[in-house]
């Protein structure tokens, strides 16, 4: 079965430096944004030497339930915040 790019979910793990440059540390494409996909991406990042489960790490996400579940299960020490852009879009869409 062929899956077009529009049907895939992109998960990107990026970092922001002190001088506000962004770097892509890891990205993955999956068929859905389920907790297995997100958890496996976090596990792969850890295998590659990225220390994501640290209290100095801030994870920003939308309010996707699978993503929130995986962040809390896989990265219990990391700080989790919701993305302001996504929150503003939600407000505009509802009101």
């Amino acid at each position: 079965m062929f899956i077009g790019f529009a049907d895939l979910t992109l998960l990107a793990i990026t970092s922001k430096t002190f001088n506000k440059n962004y770097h892509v540390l890891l990205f993955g494409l999956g068929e859905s944004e389920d907790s297995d996909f997100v958890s496996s991406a976090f596990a792969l990042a850890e295998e590659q030497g990225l220390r994501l489960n640290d209290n100095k790490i801030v994870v920003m996400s939308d309010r996707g339930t699978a993503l929130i579940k995986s962040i809390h299960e896989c990265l219990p020490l990391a700080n989790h915040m919701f993305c302001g852009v996504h929150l503003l879009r939600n407000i505009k869409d509802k009101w």
Side-chain angles (χ1 to χ4, degrees):
M1 178 174 137
F2 176 76
I3 299 174
F5 285 114
D7 299 328
L8 295 175
T9 298
L10 171 67
L11 175 72
I13 298 175
T14 62
S15 68
K16 183 177 179 183
T17 63
F18 289 109
N19 57 358
K20 299 182 181 177
N21 292 323
Y22 288 91
H23 300 280
V24 176
L25 303 175
L26 182 84
F27 72 91
L29 293 171
E31 291 184 25
S32 67
E33 189 180 314
D34 62 10
S35 58
D36 290 337
F37 170 62
V38 177
S39 296
S40 64
F42 289 149
L44 179 60
E46 291 281 334
E47 288 174 15
Q48 297 299 315
L50 299 176
R51 289 183 38 210
L52 298 178
N53 190 26
D54 189 312
N55 65 355
K56 296 176 186 161
I57 299 293
V58 176
V59 179
M60 294 187 71
S61 73
D62 61 8
R63 294 174 46 163
T65 55
L67 190 55
I68 294 169
K69 178 183 176 193
S70 295
I71 290 169
H72 291 286
E73 287 178 0
C74 299
L75 311 174
L77 298 177
N79 300 289
H80 183 222
M81 298 174 65
F82 293 119
C83 173
V85 172
H86 284 94
L87 293 175
L88 286 174
R89 283 186 197 151
N90 290 342
I91 290 170
K92 286 181 181 180
D93 289 345
K94 292 184 180 185
W95 288 285

